Amino acid sequence: MQHSSFRVLVLGSAAGGGLPQWNCGCRNCADARAGRIAPQTQSSLAVSVDGTDWALLNASPDIRHQLASAPALHPRQLRHSPVRSVVLTNGDLDHIAGLLVLREKQPFALYSTPETRAVIEANAVFAALDRAHVAISDVGLDRHFDILPGLSAELFAVPGKVPLFLEQGEPQTDLEGGQTVGVAIERGGRRMVYVPGCARMTPALAKRLAGADLVFFDGTLFADDEMVRAGTGAKTGRRMGHMPMSGPDGSMVAFDGLEVGRKVYIHINNTNPVWRDGPERRAIAYLGWEVAKDGLEIAL
Amino acid sequence: MQHSSFRVLVLGSAAGGGLPQWNCGCRNCADARAGRIAPQTQSSLAVSVDGTDWALLNASPDIRHQLASAPALHPRQLRHSPVRSVVLTNGDLDHIAGLLVLREKQPFALYSTPETRAVIEANAVFAALDRAHVAISDVGLDRHFDILPGLSAELFAVPGKVPLFLEQGEPQTDLEGGQTVGVAIERGGRRMVYVPGCARMTPALAKRLAGADLVFFDGTLFADDEMVRAGTGAKTGRRMGHMPMSGPDGSMVAFDGLEVGRKVYIHINNTNPVWRDGPERRAIAYLGWEVAKDGLEIAL
């Protein structure tokens, strides 16, 4: 570990709702409740240079359980946390609701685009983050900023939509701006990119991903109409702002030729068949994809 | 169970922050992380007449974990939940943040006072509860309403304050109105009262509690200045709107003579010494008090 550039810990690998989801009786959720497959919490990563100070990428509703499950993230004094900063990739509840747990006059820095900050600031409940302790900073796209001492990051636009709770009528699902971003982290020549939500591949995004040592990418659905066919929802992946893994416009095809060192699907919906052994999982593995799991740690 | 009037399941027994709290290294939190005492989630109860349909009293940030841990609350169809209704006792984050997890177009009824509904409706994030599926009803104080078929409840004023995130300057900590309430549930001559937050005992509250078969009562702190002395906070219990267990104005003295069948402390802060064996726990036990624990089930 001493010779690595930085390390990444998967706090949560599942999409909004988690595995199992409270009101879902699908095969994956039933198997997760019965212990036949491992339960997974909602999408979030923790990154660190020294293993002492950590930055979180997104704050999921499961954050209390996630922090309790990770010894590196336990307090080391009477009131303390190794969490020095939190970066948000959009204003979706599965990425911001955990901020409500991070109240308690504990200092940390919160980084997001102005668009996501506006979502936070429009909701009085987030005043629970006392500004005397939590510094909220706007971060422009495509600019380097330090998320930890010695670890710089960059936010970049990814096609997506506004949060579901702000939708009015049929939303544009592939807006490119500050409402949905990815995070690139680079240190000592090693580069990781985290994109938990992405509506479609664009030339700019392909360029951003190409040659990365590690990518965590939107693995919400295997098939675009998976929830419709499973009877668990009326929406396609595209309607939700998530490109599927499979199909001609899916991420499996889109990553062809990008020469990414290690590709890991994250933000995986409870309906996704890759949670279990089967042809879909074999298909993604054949193309070099892994499936994130809570607790997975990767040193770069 | 067939002959009981209704049953109560403790989903969460701890105060806001839970045990362990993410940024707390106090003895109780350290012991909970190490497995020397049992971790506990944030305050919430579930009640049922038939074990099939359930009502939740408060929606804690830990609700996803709480529902997953309780087999009676698992879905029984592809999309389903035994949760038919949720009752809120105030607008504190430890009682409302779980609503953000209950999105997913799953029908249920939400009951609160107009004051607490106003807190919900002032925050756009709660639009995640699609009104086409979630019916939000105002409930007046001291009026019977059905929280489940055949199970009626009543909300009543308890001295308290507005939620922390709405405080402006020094708040009045023992307001009596709709901002903090208790819940009384009665069926077949059996009566339970749930009061997770209470600033002080009043004659009206004493009358409400007297003779109840079961009371779950505010057990935030053992001593009013416990957090100050422990170095975990600058506030007394009274400043937070919580009367202590001990002392001349504490709940141990205040319950003397009320002839409550079974008295259980709930909403217990991580600093409270009653989480462990010791003189404080023996003192409350001597007076007939129990300490709630996640998973405790009581049939009345």
Side-chain angles (χ1 to χ4, degrees):
Chain A
M1 224 43 116
Q2 293 87 334
H3 301 293
S4 71
S5 179
F6 60 99
R7 50 204 269 210
V8 189
L9 173 63
V10 175
L11 294 180
S13 58
L19 176 70
Q21 178 174 306
W22 73 287
N23 68 332
C24 188
C26 78
R27 185 176 170 201
N28 286 341
C29 285
D31 281 357
R33 287 191 190 94
R36 289 186 291 268
I37 61 177
Q40 305 289 332
T41 62
Q42 293 163 86
S43 168
S44 177
L45 297 178
V47 295
S48 181
V49 173
D50 56 9
T52 300
D53 291 332
W54 292 78
L56 306 187
L57 310 185
N58 289 321
S60 103
D62 296 313
I63 194 167
R64 186 176 163 265
H65 186 76
Q66 291 169 338
L67 296 179
S69 301
L73 291 161
H74 291 176
R76 294 186 295 268
Q77 301 166 34
L78 182 58
R79 284 288 159 118
H80 170 264
S81 172
V83 176
R84 305 299 296 270
S85 63
V86 178
V87 182
L88 304 176
T89 64
N90 63 14
D92 283 354
L93 284 173
D94 52 340
H95 290 152
I96 67 170
L99 294 175
L100 300 176
V101 173
L102 298 184
R103 65 195 193 280
E104 307 294 355
K105 303 193 183 304
Q106 186 67 45
F108 65 90
L110 180 62
Y111 299 108
S112 69
T113 63
E115 289 83 349
T116 297
R117 181 180 51 76
V119 173
I120 302 293
E121 298 199 332
N123 284 273
V125 286
F126 291 104
L129 295 177
D130 185 338
R131 305 303 157 89
H133 303 274
V134 178
I136 303 186
S137 299
D138 277 351
V139 178
L141 298 178
D142 308 312
R143 295 188 184 184
H144 289 275
F145 64 104
D146 283 349
I147 54 172
L148 290 172
L151 190 63
S152 98
E154 223 181 323
L155 305 185
F156 55 90
V158 169
K161 66 171 185 63
V162 298
L164 177 60
F165 61 83
L166 294 178
E167 285 185 14
Q168 295 183 322
E170 283 301 304
Q172 186 181 339
T173 58
D174 64 347
L175 288 170
E176 284 182 78
Q179 68 290 318
T180 304
V181 301
V183 185
I185 295 176
E186 192 162 0
R187 185 170 186 272
R190 305 282 279 165
R191 186 159 60 92
M192 179 194 86
V193 183
Y194 170 56
V195 181
C198 181
R200 61 183 172 81
M201 185 63 74
T202 63
L205 179 58
K207 190 174 169 192
R208 178 73 71 170
L209 295 165
D213 297 287
L214 173 63
V215 170
F216 286 94
F217 197 79
D218 184 347
T220 310
L221 301 183
F222 183 81
D224 190 43
D225 62 349
E226 173 180 311
M227 291 177 61
V228 181
R229 282 189 292 115
T232 60
K235 288 182 186 169
T236 63
R238 285 184 201 292
R239 171 59 185 79
M240 299 190 295
H242 296 288
M243 64 194 287
M245 296 175 174
S246 65
D249 300 324
S251 51
M252 290 158 70
V253 167
F255 270 71
D256 185 50
L258 293 186
E259 300 195 14
V260 169
R262 192 166 171 182
K263 297 175 290 190
V264 185
Y265 278 125
I266 197 166
H267 193 277
I268 303 165
N269 196 52
N270 47 73
T271 52
N272 195 317
V274 303
W275 282 125
R276 54 202 319 129
D277 290 332
E280 296 88 356
R281 180 129 183 184
R282 286 193 293 275
I284 65 167
Y286 181 77
L287 293 173
W289 283 95
E290 298 171 60
V291 174
K293 280 193 179 303
D294 292 10
L296 172 69
E297 188 165 343
I298 297 175
L300 281 185
Chain B
M1 227 40 120
Q2 293 87 336
H3 300 293
S4 71
S5 179
F6 61 98
R7 51 204 269 206
V8 188
L9 173 63
V10 175
L11 294 181
S13 58
L19 176 72
Q21 179 175 305
W22 75 285
N23 68 331
C24 187
C26 77
R27 184 176 172 203
N28 285 340
C29 285
D31 282 357
R33 286 190 191 94
R36 290 186 290 268
I37 60 176
Q40 305 289 332
T41 61
Q42 294 165 85
S43 167
S44 177
L45 297 178
V47 295
S48 180
V49 172
D50 56 9
T52 300
D53 291 332
W54 292 79
L56 305 187
L57 309 186
N58 288 321
S60 104
D62 296 312
I63 194 167
R64 187 177 161 264
H65 186 76
Q66 291 169 337
L67 296 180
S69 301
L73 290 162
H74 291 176
R76 294 185 296 267
Q77 300 165 36
L78 182 59
R79 285 286 160 120
H80 169 265
S81 172
V83 176
R84 305 301 296 269
S85 63
V86 178
V87 183
L88 304 176
T89 64
N90 64 14
D92 282 354
L93 284 174
D94 53 340
H95 291 151
I96 68 171
L99 294 175
L100 300 177
V101 173
L102 298 184
R103 65 197 194 276
E104 309 293 356
K105 302 194 183 304
Q106 186 67 43
F108 66 89
L110 180 62
Y111 299 108
S112 70
T113 63
E115 288 84 348
T116 297
R117 179 180 53 76
V119 173
I120 302 293
E121 298 199 332
N123 284 272
V125 285
F126 292 103
L129 295 177
D130 185 337
R131 304 305 157 90
H133 302 276
V134 178
I136 303 186
S137 300
D138 276 351
V139 178
L141 298 178
D142 307 314
R143 293 185 185 186
H144 289 276
F145 63 105
D146 283 349
I147 55 173
L148 290 172
L151 191 63
S152 99
E154 224 180 320
L155 304 185
F156 56 89
V158 170
K161 65 172 186 62
V162 298
L164 177 59
F165 61 85
L166 294 179
E167 285 184 14
Q168 295 183 323
E170 283 300 302
Q172 186 181 339
T173 57
D174 62 348
L175 287 169
E176 285 181 76
Q179 69 289 322
T180 304
V181 302
V183 185
I185 295 176
E186 192 161 1
R187 185 170 186 271
R190 305 283 279 166
R191 186 158 59 92
M192 180 194 85
V193 182
Y194 171 56
V195 181
C198 181
R200 61 183 173 82
M201 185 63 74
T202 63
L205 179 56
K207 191 173 168 192
R208 177 73 70 170
L209 296 165
D213 297 286
L214 173 62
V215 170
F216 286 93
F217 197 78
D218 184 346
T220 309
L221 302 182
F222 183 80
D224 191 43
D225 62 351
E226 172 180 311
M227 291 176 63
V228 181
R229 282 189 292 116
T232 59
K235 288 181 185 171
T236 62
R238 285 183 201 293
R239 170 60 183 82
M240 300 189 295
H242 296 288
M243 64 193 288
M245 296 175 174
S246 64
D249 301 322
S251 52
M252 291 158 70
V253 167
F255 269 71
D256 184 50
L258 292 185
E259 301 195 11
V260 168
R262 193 166 172 181
K263 296 176 291 192
V264 185
Y265 278 126
I266 196 165
H267 194 278
I268 303 165
N269 196 52
N270 47 74
T271 53
N272 195 317
V274 303
W275 282 126
R276 53 202 318 130
D277 290 332
E280 296 87 356
R281 179 126 182 188
R282 286 193 293 275
I284 65 168
Y286 181 78
L287 293 172
W289 283 95
E290 299 170 60
V291 174
K293 279 191 180 303
D294 292 10
L296 172 68
E297 188 165 343
I298 298 175
L300 283 183

